[in-house]
Short mmCIF file of all heavy atoms in Angstrom, two decimals:
data_model
loop_
_atom_site.label_atom_id
_atom_site.label_comp_id
_atom_site.label_asym_id
_atom_site.label_seq_id
_atom_site.Cartn_x
_atom_site.Cartn_y
_atom_site.Cartn_z
N HIS D 66 -93.02 -86.46 -190.88
CA HIS D 66 -92.35 -85.82 -192.01
C HIS D 66 -92.69 -84.33 -192.06
O HIS D 66 -91.81 -83.47 -192.19
CB HIS D 66 -92.76 -86.53 -193.32
CG HIS D 66 -92.13 -85.92 -194.53
ND1 HIS D 66 -92.85 -85.24 -195.48
CD2 HIS D 66 -90.83 -85.86 -194.92
CE1 HIS D 66 -92.02 -84.81 -196.41
NE2 HIS D 66 -90.80 -85.17 -196.10
N GLU D 67 -93.96 -84.03 -191.92
CA GLU D 67 -94.38 -82.62 -192.00
C GLU D 67 -93.77 -81.79 -190.87
O GLU D 67 -93.44 -80.62 -191.05
CB GLU D 67 -95.91 -82.53 -191.98
CG GLU D 67 -96.51 -83.01 -193.29
CD GLU D 67 -98.01 -82.83 -193.36
OE1 GLU D 67 -98.64 -82.60 -192.29
OE2 GLU D 67 -98.56 -82.93 -194.47
N GLU D 68 -93.64 -82.41 -189.71
CA GLU D 68 -93.05 -81.70 -188.58
C GLU D 68 -91.61 -81.27 -188.90
O GLU D 68 -91.22 -80.14 -188.62
CB GLU D 68 -93.03 -82.64 -187.38
CG GLU D 68 -93.30 -81.94 -186.05
CD GLU D 68 -93.44 -82.98 -184.95
OE1 GLU D 68 -94.52 -83.60 -184.86
OE2 GLU D 68 -92.45 -83.20 -184.25
N LEU D 69 -90.87 -82.18 -189.54
CA LEU D 69 -89.48 -81.86 -189.92
C LEU D 69 -89.46 -80.74 -190.96
O LEU D 69 -88.63 -79.84 -190.91
CB LEU D 69 -88.78 -83.10 -190.47
CG LEU D 69 -88.53 -84.24 -189.49
CD1 LEU D 69 -87.86 -85.41 -190.20
CD2 LEU D 69 -87.65 -83.77 -188.33
N VAL D 70 -90.39 -80.83 -191.91
CA VAL D 70 -90.44 -79.79 -192.96
C VAL D 70 -90.78 -78.43 -192.33
O VAL D 70 -90.12 -77.41 -192.60
CB VAL D 70 -91.47 -80.16 -194.06
CG1 VAL D 70 -91.67 -79.01 -195.03
CG2 VAL D 70 -91.04 -81.42 -194.81
N LEU D 71 -91.77 -78.43 -191.45
CA LEU D 71 -92.21 -77.17 -190.84
C LEU D 71 -91.10 -76.51 -190.02
O LEU D 71 -90.98 -75.28 -189.99
CB LEU D 71 -93.42 -77.40 -189.93
CG LEU D 71 -94.78 -77.49 -190.65
CD1 LEU D 71 -95.88 -77.81 -189.65
CD2 LEU D 71 -95.10 -76.19 -191.39
N LYS D 72 -90.30 -77.34 -189.37
CA LYS D 72 -89.20 -76.81 -188.55
C LYS D 72 -88.24 -75.96 -189.40
O LYS D 72 -87.75 -74.93 -188.98
CB LYS D 72 -88.44 -77.98 -187.93
CG LYS D 72 -87.89 -77.67 -186.56
CD LYS D 72 -87.44 -78.94 -185.88
CE LYS D 72 -85.98 -78.81 -185.54
NZ LYS D 72 -85.38 -80.08 -185.15
N GLU D 73 -88.03 -76.40 -190.64
CA GLU D 73 -87.15 -75.65 -191.55
C GLU D 73 -87.87 -74.47 -192.19
O GLU D 73 -87.29 -73.43 -192.48
CB GLU D 73 -86.69 -76.56 -192.71
CG GLU D 73 -85.98 -77.81 -192.30
CD GLU D 73 -84.50 -77.57 -192.02
OE1 GLU D 73 -83.99 -76.49 -192.39
OE2 GLU D 73 -83.88 -78.46 -191.42
N LEU D 74 -89.15 -74.68 -192.42
CA LEU D 74 -89.93 -73.75 -193.24
C LEU D 74 -90.42 -72.51 -192.47
O LEU D 74 -90.33 -71.39 -192.99
CB LEU D 74 -91.14 -74.55 -193.74
CG LEU D 74 -91.91 -74.05 -194.93
CD1 LEU D 74 -90.96 -73.87 -196.10
CD2 LEU D 74 -93.00 -75.06 -195.28
N LEU D 75 -90.90 -72.71 -191.26
CA LEU D 75 -91.54 -71.60 -190.55
C LEU D 75 -90.60 -70.41 -190.31
O LEU D 75 -91.02 -69.27 -190.49
CB LEU D 75 -92.16 -72.09 -189.23
CG LEU D 75 -93.39 -72.99 -189.43
CD1 LEU D 75 -93.93 -73.48 -188.09
CD2 LEU D 75 -94.49 -72.26 -190.20
N PRO D 76 -89.31 -70.67 -189.96
CA PRO D 76 -88.43 -69.50 -189.76
C PRO D 76 -88.25 -68.66 -191.02
O PRO D 76 -87.90 -67.48 -190.93
CB PRO D 76 -87.09 -70.12 -189.34
CG PRO D 76 -87.41 -71.51 -188.91
CD PRO D 76 -88.64 -71.93 -189.65
N LEU D 77 -88.51 -69.23 -192.20
CA LEU D 77 -88.33 -68.48 -193.46
C LEU D 77 -89.48 -67.50 -193.71
O LEU D 77 -89.37 -66.60 -194.52
CB LEU D 77 -88.23 -69.45 -194.65
CG LEU D 77 -87.10 -70.48 -194.61
CD1 LEU D 77 -87.16 -71.35 -195.87
CD2 LEU D 77 -85.76 -69.79 -194.53
N LYS D 78 -90.61 -67.73 -193.02
CA LYS D 78 -91.80 -66.86 -193.16
C LYS D 78 -92.18 -66.60 -194.62
O LYS D 78 -92.22 -65.44 -195.08
CB LYS D 78 -91.57 -65.53 -192.44
CG LYS D 78 -91.37 -65.65 -190.95
CD LYS D 78 -91.55 -64.27 -190.34
CE LYS D 78 -91.48 -64.16 -188.85
NZ LYS D 78 -90.91 -65.13 -188.03
N PRO D 79 -92.46 -67.64 -195.39
CA PRO D 79 -92.86 -67.42 -196.79
C PRO D 79 -94.26 -66.82 -196.88
O PRO D 79 -95.09 -67.05 -196.00
CB PRO D 79 -92.86 -68.84 -197.39
CG PRO D 79 -93.04 -69.75 -196.22
CD PRO D 79 -92.45 -69.06 -195.02
N ASP D 80 -94.49 -66.03 -197.94
CA ASP D 80 -95.86 -65.53 -198.18
C ASP D 80 -96.71 -66.64 -198.77
O ASP D 80 -97.89 -66.74 -198.48
CB ASP D 80 -95.83 -64.36 -199.17
CG ASP D 80 -95.09 -63.17 -198.61
OD1 ASP D 80 -95.30 -62.86 -197.42
OD2 ASP D 80 -94.29 -62.57 -199.35
N TRP D 81 -96.11 -67.42 -199.68
CA TRP D 81 -96.85 -68.47 -200.35
C TRP D 81 -96.03 -69.75 -200.45
O TRP D 81 -94.83 -69.70 -200.71
CB TRP D 81 -97.23 -68.04 -201.78
CG TRP D 81 -98.27 -66.98 -201.79
CD1 TRP D 81 -98.07 -65.64 -201.91
CD2 TRP D 81 -99.69 -67.17 -201.65
NE1 TRP D 81 -99.27 -64.98 -201.86
CE2 TRP D 81 -100.27 -65.89 -201.69
CE3 TRP D 81 -100.51 -68.29 -201.49
CZ2 TRP D 81 -101.65 -65.71 -201.57
CZ3 TRP D 81 -101.88 -68.12 -201.38
CH2 TRP D 81 -102.43 -66.84 -201.42
N ILE D 82 -96.70 -70.88 -200.31
CA ILE D 82 -96.12 -72.18 -200.62
C ILE D 82 -96.62 -72.53 -202.02
O ILE D 82 -97.84 -72.50 -202.27
CB ILE D 82 -96.62 -73.27 -199.61
CG1 ILE D 82 -96.30 -72.88 -198.18
CG2 ILE D 82 -96.05 -74.63 -199.97
CD1 ILE D 82 -94.85 -72.74 -197.85
#
Side-chain angles (χ1 to χ4, degrees):
H66 179 248
E67 288 185 345
E68 216 173 282
L69 293 178
V70 172
L71 279 177
K72 213 167 122 193
E73 303 277 348
L74 199 56
L75 291 177
L77 301 180
K78 297 196 177 18
D80 295 317
W81 289 97
I82 303 298

